[in-house]
Amino acid sequence: MLQYILAVILFFFLFWILYWYFTVRHFEKYLKFIPGPTPLPLVGNALEFTSSTNLLPTLMKYHKKFKGNFKIYVGSRPHVFISKTEDLAFFLNSSTILRKSKAYDYLNNWLGTGLLTGWGNKWKKHRKIITPAFHFKILEDYVDIFNSAGDILVEKLEEQSKKPSVDIYPFVTLCALDIICETTMGTSVNAQNDSDSAYVKSVNILLRILIERTFSTFLSNNFLYRFSTTYQEEKRALKVVHGYSRSVINSRKAEFMKSEEYKTHASTVDALGRKKKVFLDLLLEYSSNDPSFTQEDICQEVDTFMFAVRF
């Protein structure tokens, strides 16, 4: 019996080696002119990214070593890092290279196929729907929200001012989260004053998992990932994050449905008593006129903006 088990293990190990070799060989047909560190069998360069803290220093080391663009392998999957402006312009100006890389798939459980992760006709449709929400006239209505969150940020930084140095990133992102929640969904998570809330913690967990999966040979494999404790951790965090956004959306939709016409429904009211639309209101308005833009589409776009502000 033991011999059969060992034979099966040996078979899968050899299959893994061959799969890695021929996959890398396939990619190298297109990437051989892009420099990069030599990948190790099976793991590629993943061992150099053992934690999120050494991620940026390691990437900067390779940027300097190869004087611009370079590639690394995580397992058998290549990652190309582009810094030369002419190469960036080629991709950013393209109207056909729209499909996201494989790493974006790690966000699908959280964001679905919204504006960030989607591509093709769906991406174009959602882009057209969302663009009007960023008209400067609409953004001007939220200056009071920006100021209020900014005042809290200043207070938090004043408390840290006596220290020799301070990392302002956590404070700025919590401020941004307060702003985006109120302007997007018309509700406050009070992230700056309650950074230990279940919602804020869950968002941070999901962001950490995204980085871990991107640079882990084991976690980047969707099949193997489902057997990890990280997958269970992600499920718990998603339950909190999705539960909060869906609750707000359902509440706002109920208000919208009760109104006789959109202009009179319960929009967010500012300090002067003026009603104003939030991002969610605009999505609900569009959905009422185009049933093909479903509530799930609304949820995905709201979650996308929550992710973007934290990342």
PDB file of all heavy atoms in Angstrom, residues 14 48 65 73-74 79 81 89 91 109-110 143 145 152 159 174 191 194 205 238 253 265 268 270 274 287 289 292 311:
ATOM      1  N   LEU A  14       6.408  14.651 -10.497  1.00  0.00           N
ATOM      2  CA  LEU A  14       6.989  14.734 -11.839  1.00  0.00           C
ATOM      3  C   LEU A  14       6.084  15.517 -12.784  1.00  0.00           C
ATOM      4  O   LEU A  14       6.552  16.300 -13.611  1.00  0.00           O
ATOM      5  CB  LEU A  14       7.225  13.324 -12.392  1.00  0.00           C
ATOM      6  CG  LEU A  14       8.326  12.509 -11.702  1.00  0.00           C
ATOM      7  CD1 LEU A  14       8.361  11.084 -12.258  1.00  0.00           C
ATOM      8  CD2 LEU A  14       9.685  13.178 -11.865  1.00  0.00           C
ATOM      9  N   GLU A  48      11.521  34.970  -2.649  1.00  0.00           N
ATOM     10  CA  GLU A  48      12.041  36.296  -2.326  1.00  0.00           C
ATOM     11  C   GLU A  48      10.949  37.230  -1.812  1.00  0.00           C
ATOM     12  O   GLU A  48      11.241  38.356  -1.408  1.00  0.00           O
ATOM     13  CB  GLU A  48      12.706  36.896  -3.563  1.00  0.00           C
ATOM     14  CG  GLU A  48      13.882  36.081  -4.078  1.00  0.00           C
ATOM     15  CD  GLU A  48      14.694  36.852  -5.090  1.00  0.00           C
ATOM     16  OE1 GLU A  48      15.057  38.005  -4.793  1.00  0.00           O
ATOM     17  OE2 GLU A  48      14.958  36.311  -6.178  1.00  0.00           O
ATOM     18  N   LYS A  65      18.475  47.068 -10.700  1.00  0.00           N
ATOM     19  CA  LYS A  65      19.408  46.095 -11.279  1.00  0.00           C
ATOM     20  C   LYS A  65      19.221  45.970 -12.789  1.00  0.00           C
ATOM     21  O   LYS A  65      20.209  45.921 -13.542  1.00  0.00           O
ATOM     22  CB  LYS A  65      19.213  44.728 -10.622  1.00  0.00           C
ATOM     23  CG  LYS A  65      20.134  43.650 -11.177  1.00  0.00           C
ATOM     24  CD  LYS A  65      19.929  42.324 -10.444  1.00  0.00           C
ATOM     25  CE  LYS A  65      20.849  41.247 -11.015  1.00  0.00           C
ATOM     26  NZ  LYS A  65      20.669  39.953 -10.307  1.00  0.00           N
ATOM     27  N   TYR A  73       8.876  35.389 -11.806  1.00  0.00           N
ATOM     28  CA  TYR A  73       7.949  34.267 -11.885  1.00  0.00           C
ATOM     29  C   TYR A  73       7.494  33.887 -10.477  1.00  0.00           C
ATOM     30  O   TYR A  73       8.312  33.758  -9.563  1.00  0.00           O
ATOM     31  CB  TYR A  73       8.606  33.050 -12.546  1.00  0.00           C
ATOM     32  CG  TYR A  73       8.601  33.101 -14.056  1.00  0.00           C
ATOM     33  CD1 TYR A  73       9.634  33.729 -14.751  1.00  0.00           C
ATOM     34  CD2 TYR A  73       7.567  32.520 -14.781  1.00  0.00           C
ATOM     35  CE1 TYR A  73       9.637  33.781 -16.141  1.00  0.00           C
ATOM     36  CE2 TYR A  73       7.562  32.571 -16.180  1.00  0.00           C
ATOM     37  CZ  TYR A  73       8.591  33.200 -16.845  1.00  0.00           C
ATOM     38  OH  TYR A  73       8.574  33.261 -18.224  1.00  0.00           O
ATOM     39  N   VAL A  74       6.190  33.728 -10.319  1.00  0.00           N
ATOM     40  CA  VAL A  74       5.622  33.153  -9.097  1.00  0.00           C
ATOM     41  C   VAL A  74       5.062  31.801  -9.500  1.00  0.00           C
ATOM     42  O   VAL A  74       4.038  31.721 -10.191  1.00  0.00           O
ATOM     43  CB  VAL A  74       4.520  34.047  -8.494  1.00  0.00           C
ATOM     44  CG1 VAL A  74       3.903  33.359  -7.282  1.00  0.00           C
ATOM     45  CG2 VAL A  74       5.086  35.400  -8.113  1.00  0.00           C
ATOM     46  N   HIS A  79       5.162  37.686 -14.013  1.00  0.00           N
ATOM     47  CA  HIS A  79       4.672  39.033 -13.696  1.00  0.00           C
ATOM     48  C   HIS A  79       5.676  40.021 -14.298  1.00  0.00           C
ATOM     49  O   HIS A  79       6.857  39.982 -13.962  1.00  0.00           O
ATOM     50  CB  HIS A  79       4.577  39.250 -12.181  1.00  0.00           C
ATOM     51  CG  HIS A  79       3.564  38.372 -11.509  1.00  0.00           C
ATOM     52  ND1 HIS A  79       2.323  38.820 -11.146  1.00  0.00           N
ATOM     53  CD2 HIS A  79       3.609  37.068 -11.153  1.00  0.00           C
ATOM     54  CE1 HIS A  79       1.639  37.841 -10.584  1.00  0.00           C
ATOM     55  NE2 HIS A  79       2.414  36.754 -10.572  1.00  0.00           N
ATOM     56  N   PHE A  81       6.849  43.874 -14.776  1.00  0.00           N
ATOM     57  CA  PHE A  81       6.747  45.196 -14.154  1.00  0.00           C
ATOM     58  C   PHE A  81       7.289  46.232 -15.131  1.00  0.00           C
ATOM     59  O   PHE A  81       8.451  46.163 -15.540  1.00  0.00           O
ATOM     60  CB  PHE A  81       7.526  45.223 -12.840  1.00  0.00           C
ATOM     61  CG  PHE A  81       6.931  44.331 -11.784  1.00  0.00           C
ATOM     62  CD1 PHE A  81       7.247  42.976 -11.759  1.00  0.00           C
ATOM     63  CD2 PHE A  81       6.041  44.826 -10.841  1.00  0.00           C
ATOM     64  CE1 PHE A  81       6.689  42.138 -10.811  1.00  0.00           C
ATOM     65  CE2 PHE A  81       5.485  43.996  -9.886  1.00  0.00           C
ATOM     66  CZ  PHE A  81       5.799  42.654  -9.870  1.00  0.00           C
ATOM     67  N   ALA A  89       2.765  54.087 -21.881  1.00  0.00           N
ATOM     68  CA  ALA A  89       1.860  54.819 -22.769  1.00  0.00           C
ATOM     69  C   ALA A  89       1.201  53.888 -23.778  1.00  0.00           C
ATOM     70  O   ALA A  89       0.022  54.048 -24.110  1.00  0.00           O
ATOM     71  CB  ALA A  89       2.626  55.928 -23.487  1.00  0.00           C
ATOM     72  N   PHE A  91       0.320  50.741 -23.408  1.00  0.00           N
ATOM     73  CA  PHE A  91      -0.783  49.991 -22.800  1.00  0.00           C
ATOM     74  C   PHE A  91      -1.933  50.904 -22.374  1.00  0.00           C
ATOM     75  O   PHE A  91      -3.103  50.580 -22.580  1.00  0.00           O
ATOM     76  CB  PHE A  91      -0.270  49.200 -21.586  1.00  0.00           C
ATOM     77  CG  PHE A  91       0.610  48.044 -21.952  1.00  0.00           C
ATOM     78  CD1 PHE A  91       1.983  48.120 -21.796  1.00  0.00           C
ATOM     79  CD2 PHE A  91       0.072  46.879 -22.466  1.00  0.00           C
ATOM     80  CE1 PHE A  91       2.794  47.051 -22.141  1.00  0.00           C
ATOM     81  CE2 PHE A  91       0.880  45.807 -22.818  1.00  0.00           C
ATOM     82  CZ  PHE A  91       2.244  45.891 -22.655  1.00  0.00           C
ATOM     83  N   ASN A 109     -13.963  37.074  -5.742  1.00  0.00           N
ATOM     84  CA  ASN A 109     -14.839  36.724  -4.621  1.00  0.00           C
ATOM     85  C   ASN A 109     -15.351  37.961  -3.897  1.00  0.00           C
ATOM     86  O   ASN A 109     -16.456  37.966  -3.343  1.00  0.00           O
ATOM     87  CB  ASN A 109     -14.088  35.827  -3.627  1.00  0.00           C
ATOM     88  CG  ASN A 109     -13.805  34.458  -4.199  1.00  0.00           C
ATOM     89  OD1 ASN A 109     -14.461  34.011  -5.129  1.00  0.00           O
ATOM     90  ND2 ASN A 109     -12.813  33.770  -3.638  1.00  0.00           N
ATOM     91  N   TRP A 110     -14.554  39.009  -3.906  1.00  0.00           N
ATOM     92  CA  TRP A 110     -14.912  40.253  -3.215  1.00  0.00           C
ATOM     93  C   TRP A 110     -15.647  41.210  -4.149  1.00  0.00           C
ATOM     94  O   TRP A 110     -16.739  41.697  -3.825  1.00  0.00           O
ATOM     95  CB  TRP A 110     -13.638  40.905  -2.684  1.00  0.00           C
ATOM     96  CG  TRP A 110     -13.825  42.178  -1.911  1.00  0.00           C
ATOM     97  CD1 TRP A 110     -15.008  42.774  -1.551  1.00  0.00           C
ATOM     98  CD2 TRP A 110     -12.787  43.017  -1.390  1.00  0.00           C
ATOM     99  NE1 TRP A 110     -14.770  43.926  -0.849  1.00  0.00           N
ATOM    100  CE2 TRP A 110     -13.422  44.098  -0.735  1.00  0.00           C
ATOM    101  CE3 TRP A 110     -11.399  42.953  -1.416  1.00  0.00           C
ATOM    102  CZ2 TRP A 110     -12.696  45.120  -0.116  1.00  0.00           C
ATOM    103  CZ3 TRP A 110     -10.685  43.967  -0.797  1.00  0.00           C
ATOM    104  CH2 TRP A 110     -11.320  45.029  -0.145  1.00  0.00           C
ATOM    105  N   VAL A 143     -17.875  68.789  -0.510  1.00  0.00           N
ATOM    106  CA  VAL A 143     -16.758  69.490   0.135  1.00  0.00           C
ATOM    107  C   VAL A 143     -16.903  69.451   1.648  1.00  0.00           C
ATOM    108  O   VAL A 143     -15.920  69.301   2.389  1.00  0.00           O
ATOM    109  CB  VAL A 143     -16.660  70.944  -0.368  1.00  0.00           C
ATOM    110  CG1 VAL A 143     -15.633  71.731   0.450  1.00  0.00           C
ATOM    111  CG2 VAL A 143     -16.282  70.969  -1.849  1.00  0.00           C
ATOM    112  N   ILE A 145     -18.175  67.111   3.447  1.00  0.00           N
ATOM    113  CA  ILE A 145     -17.772  65.782   3.915  1.00  0.00           C
ATOM    114  C   ILE A 145     -16.253  65.670   3.917  1.00  0.00           C
ATOM    115  O   ILE A 145     -15.657  65.151   4.880  1.00  0.00           O
ATOM    116  CB  ILE A 145     -18.389  64.688   3.021  1.00  0.00           C
ATOM    117  CG1 ILE A 145     -19.908  64.696   3.162  1.00  0.00           C
ATOM    118  CG2 ILE A 145     -17.822  63.309   3.377  1.00  0.00           C
ATOM    119  CD1 ILE A 145     -20.618  63.722   2.230  1.00  0.00           C
ATOM    120  N   ILE A 152     -10.995  65.513  11.343  1.00  0.00           N
ATOM    121  CA  ILE A 152     -10.699  64.374  12.217  1.00  0.00           C
ATOM    122  C   ILE A 152      -9.281  63.872  11.963  1.00  0.00           C
ATOM    123  O   ILE A 152      -8.546  63.538  12.900  1.00  0.00           O
ATOM    124  CB  ILE A 152     -11.718  63.238  11.984  1.00  0.00           C
ATOM    125  CG1 ILE A 152     -13.122  63.707  12.351  1.00  0.00           C
ATOM    126  CG2 ILE A 152     -11.338  61.998  12.800  1.00  0.00           C
ATOM    127  CD1 ILE A 152     -14.213  62.686  12.039  1.00  0.00           C
ATOM    128  N   GLU A 159      -2.235  64.177  17.551  1.00  0.00           N
ATOM    129  CA  GLU A 159      -1.967  63.269  18.662  1.00  0.00           C
ATOM    130  C   GLU A 159      -0.651  62.520  18.469  1.00  0.00           C
ATOM    131  O   GLU A 159      -0.023  62.096  19.440  1.00  0.00           O
ATOM    132  CB  GLU A 159      -3.118  62.264  18.795  1.00  0.00           C
ATOM    133  CG  GLU A 159      -4.457  62.898  19.195  1.00  0.00           C
ATOM    134  CD  GLU A 159      -5.594  61.896  19.145  1.00  0.00           C
ATOM    135  OE1 GLU A 159      -5.330  60.708  18.853  1.00  0.00           O
ATOM    136  OE2 GLU A 159      -6.750  62.290  19.400  1.00  0.00           O
ATOM    137  N   LEU A 174      -7.778  55.540   6.445  1.00  0.00           N
ATOM    138  CA  LEU A 174      -9.008  55.527   7.248  1.00  0.00           C
ATOM    139  C   LEU A 174      -9.845  56.774   6.964  1.00  0.00           C
ATOM    140  O   LEU A 174     -11.074  56.712   6.901  1.00  0.00           O
ATOM    141  CB  LEU A 174      -8.669  55.438   8.737  1.00  0.00           C
ATOM    142  CG  LEU A 174      -8.111  54.097   9.226  1.00  0.00           C
ATOM    143  CD1 LEU A 174      -7.697  54.194  10.687  1.00  0.00           C
ATOM    144  CD2 LEU A 174      -9.138  52.983   9.039  1.00  0.00           C
ATOM    145  N   ALA A 191     -14.600  55.169  10.502  1.00  0.00           N
ATOM    146  CA  ALA A 191     -13.367  54.378  10.506  1.00  0.00           C
ATOM    147  C   ALA A 191     -12.248  55.041  11.301  1.00  0.00           C
ATOM    148  O   ALA A 191     -11.468  54.361  11.967  1.00  0.00           O
ATOM    149  CB  ALA A 191     -12.906  54.137   9.069  1.00  0.00           C
ATOM    150  N   ASP A 194     -13.013  54.527  14.936  1.00  0.00           N
ATOM    151  CA  ASP A 194     -13.261  53.138  15.311  1.00  0.00           C
ATOM    152  C   ASP A 194     -12.540  52.224  14.321  1.00  0.00           C
ATOM    153  O   ASP A 194     -13.162  51.483  13.569  1.00  0.00           O
ATOM    154  CB  ASP A 194     -14.775  52.852  15.305  1.00  0.00           C
ATOM    155  CG  ASP A 194     -15.094  51.469  15.882  1.00  0.00           C
ATOM    156  OD1 ASP A 194     -14.202  50.863  16.502  1.00  0.00           O
ATOM    157  OD2 ASP A 194     -16.240  50.996  15.705  1.00  0.00           O
ATOM    158  N   ILE A 205      -8.039  42.615   6.141  1.00  0.00           N
ATOM    159  CA  ILE A 205      -7.742  41.194   5.950  1.00  0.00           C
ATOM    160  C   ILE A 205      -7.787  40.827   4.468  1.00  0.00           C
ATOM    161  O   ILE A 205      -6.899  40.143   3.960  1.00  0.00           O
ATOM    162  CB  ILE A 205      -8.742  40.325   6.749  1.00  0.00           C
ATOM    163  CG1 ILE A 205      -8.454  40.425   8.250  1.00  0.00           C
ATOM    164  CG2 ILE A 205      -8.682  38.862   6.300  1.00  0.00           C
ATOM    165  CD1 ILE A 205      -9.509  39.768   9.125  1.00  0.00           C
ATOM    166  N   LEU A 238     -15.321  38.281   3.973  1.00  0.00           N
ATOM    167  CA  LEU A 238     -16.288  38.619   2.929  1.00  0.00           C
ATOM    168  C   LEU A 238     -17.710  38.679   3.485  1.00  0.00           C
ATOM    169  O   LEU A 238     -18.519  39.504   3.050  1.00  0.00           O
ATOM    170  CB  LEU A 238     -16.228  37.586   1.797  1.00  0.00           C
ATOM    171  CG  LEU A 238     -15.034  37.675   0.864  1.00  0.00           C
ATOM    172  CD1 LEU A 238     -15.017  36.494  -0.100  1.00  0.00           C
ATOM    173  CD2 LEU A 238     -15.049  38.988   0.081  1.00  0.00           C
ATOM    174  N   LYS A 253     -32.247  51.315  -1.415  1.00  0.00           N
ATOM    175  CA  LYS A 253     -33.163  50.935  -2.489  1.00  0.00           C
ATOM    176  C   LYS A 253     -34.611  51.006  -2.020  1.00  0.00           C
ATOM    177  O   LYS A 253     -35.503  51.417  -2.787  1.00  0.00           O
ATOM    178  CB  LYS A 253     -32.839  49.519  -2.975  1.00  0.00           C
ATOM    179  CG  LYS A 253     -33.682  49.092  -4.169  1.00  0.00           C
ATOM    180  CD  LYS A 253     -33.267  47.718  -4.669  1.00  0.00           C
ATOM    181  CE  LYS A 253     -34.113  47.319  -5.879  1.00  0.00           C
ATOM    182  NZ  LYS A 253     -33.719  45.977  -6.394  1.00  0.00           N
ATOM    183  N   HIS A 265     -36.849  61.548  -3.545  1.00  0.00           N
ATOM    184  CA  HIS A 265     -36.555  60.480  -2.587  1.00  0.00           C
ATOM    185  C   HIS A 265     -35.483  60.937  -1.597  1.00  0.00           C
ATOM    186  O   HIS A 265     -34.832  61.940  -1.772  1.00  0.00           O
ATOM    187  CB  HIS A 265     -36.140  59.197  -3.329  1.00  0.00           C
ATOM    188  CG  HIS A 265     -34.687  58.954  -3.413  1.00  0.00           C
ATOM    189  ND1 HIS A 265     -33.870  59.617  -4.292  1.00  0.00           N
ATOM    190  CD2 HIS A 265     -33.899  58.115  -2.708  1.00  0.00           C
ATOM    191  CE1 HIS A 265     -32.641  59.189  -4.153  1.00  0.00           C
ATOM    192  NE2 HIS A 265     -32.626  58.279  -3.195  1.00  0.00           N
ATOM    193  N   THR A 268     -29.058  62.179   0.663  1.00  0.00           N
ATOM    194  CA  THR A 268     -28.294  62.719   1.772  1.00  0.00           C
ATOM    195  C   THR A 268     -28.514  64.231   1.864  1.00  0.00           C
ATOM    196  O   THR A 268     -28.540  64.928   0.861  1.00  0.00           O
ATOM    197  CB  THR A 268     -26.797  62.435   1.570  1.00  0.00           C
ATOM    198  OG1 THR A 268     -26.630  61.014   1.446  1.00  0.00           O
ATOM    199  CG2 THR A 268     -25.980  62.940   2.731  1.00  0.00           C
ATOM    200  N   ASP A 270     -27.266  67.943   3.346  1.00  0.00           N
ATOM    201  CA  ASP A 270     -26.078  68.584   3.889  1.00  0.00           C
ATOM    202  C   ASP A 270     -26.461  69.547   4.998  1.00  0.00           C
ATOM    203  O   ASP A 270     -27.615  69.638   5.418  1.00  0.00           O
ATOM    204  CB  ASP A 270     -25.288  69.301   2.786  1.00  0.00           C
ATOM    205  CG  ASP A 270     -26.059  70.460   2.172  1.00  0.00           C
ATOM    206  OD1 ASP A 270     -27.086  70.877   2.748  1.00  0.00           O
ATOM    207  OD2 ASP A 270     -25.629  70.953   1.109  1.00  0.00           O
ATOM    208  N   ARG A 274     -29.820  71.005   2.003  1.00  0.00           N
ATOM    209  CA  ARG A 274     -29.964  70.695   0.596  1.00  0.00           C
ATOM    210  C   ARG A 274     -29.807  69.190   0.378  1.00  0.00           C
ATOM    211  O   ARG A 274     -28.958  68.564   0.974  1.00  0.00           O
ATOM    212  CB  ARG A 274     -28.903  71.432  -0.229  1.00  0.00           C
ATOM    213  CG  ARG A 274     -28.990  72.938  -0.146  1.00  0.00           C
ATOM    214  CD  ARG A 274     -27.799  73.579  -0.854  1.00  0.00           C
ATOM    215  NE  ARG A 274     -26.533  73.128  -0.252  1.00  0.00           N
ATOM    216  CZ  ARG A 274     -25.347  73.582  -0.619  1.00  0.00           C
ATOM    217  NH1 ARG A 274     -25.256  74.477  -1.575  1.00  0.00           N
ATOM    218  NH2 ARG A 274     -24.252  73.131  -0.028  1.00  0.00           N
ATOM    219  N   SER A 287     -30.418  51.808 -12.702  1.00  0.00           N
ATOM    220  CA  SER A 287     -30.985  50.470 -12.667  1.00  0.00           C
ATOM    221  C   SER A 287     -32.499  50.495 -12.865  1.00  0.00           C
ATOM    222  O   SER A 287     -33.072  49.587 -13.476  1.00  0.00           O
ATOM    223  CB  SER A 287     -30.647  49.791 -11.337  1.00  0.00           C
ATOM    224  OG  SER A 287     -31.192  48.489 -11.276  1.00  0.00           O
ATOM    225  N   ASN A 289     -34.102  52.438 -14.749  1.00  0.00           N
ATOM    226  CA  ASN A 289     -34.376  52.685 -16.161  1.00  0.00           C
ATOM    227  C   ASN A 289     -33.850  51.573 -17.064  1.00  0.00           C
ATOM    228  O   ASN A 289     -34.280  51.446 -18.214  1.00  0.00           O
ATOM    229  CB  ASN A 289     -33.746  54.019 -16.597  1.00  0.00           C
ATOM    230  CG  ASN A 289     -34.361  55.200 -15.873  1.00  0.00           C
ATOM    231  OD1 ASN A 289     -35.570  55.236 -15.646  1.00  0.00           O
ATOM    232  ND2 ASN A 289     -33.533  56.155 -15.484  1.00  0.00           N
ATOM    233  N   SER A 292     -31.302  45.594 -17.010  1.00  0.00           N
ATOM    234  CA  SER A 292     -30.132  44.748 -17.250  1.00  0.00           C
ATOM    235  C   SER A 292     -28.977  45.104 -16.322  1.00  0.00           C
ATOM    236  O   SER A 292     -28.057  44.311 -16.135  1.00  0.00           O
ATOM    237  CB  SER A 292     -29.680  44.862 -18.708  1.00  0.00           C
ATOM    238  OG  SER A 292     -29.188  46.166 -18.990  1.00  0.00           O
ATOM    239  N   PHE A 311      -6.837  50.414  -1.139  1.00  0.00           N
ATOM    240  CA  PHE A 311      -5.635  49.932  -1.790  1.00  0.00           C
ATOM    241  C   PHE A 311      -4.769  51.083  -2.255  1.00  0.00           C
ATOM    242  O   PHE A 311      -3.580  51.008  -2.270  1.00  0.00           O
ATOM    243  CB  PHE A 311      -5.998  49.047  -2.986  1.00  0.00           C
ATOM    244  CG  PHE A 311      -4.871  48.183  -3.437  1.00  0.00           C
ATOM    245  CD1 PHE A 311      -4.503  47.079  -2.706  1.00  0.00           C
ATOM    246  CD2 PHE A 311      -4.173  48.475  -4.599  1.00  0.00           C
ATOM    247  CE1 PHE A 311      -3.471  46.261  -3.118  1.00  0.00           C
ATOM    248  CE2 PHE A 311      -3.131  47.668  -5.032  1.00  0.00           C
ATOM    249  CZ  PHE A 311      -2.781  46.563  -4.283  1.00  0.00           C
TER     250      PHE A 311
END
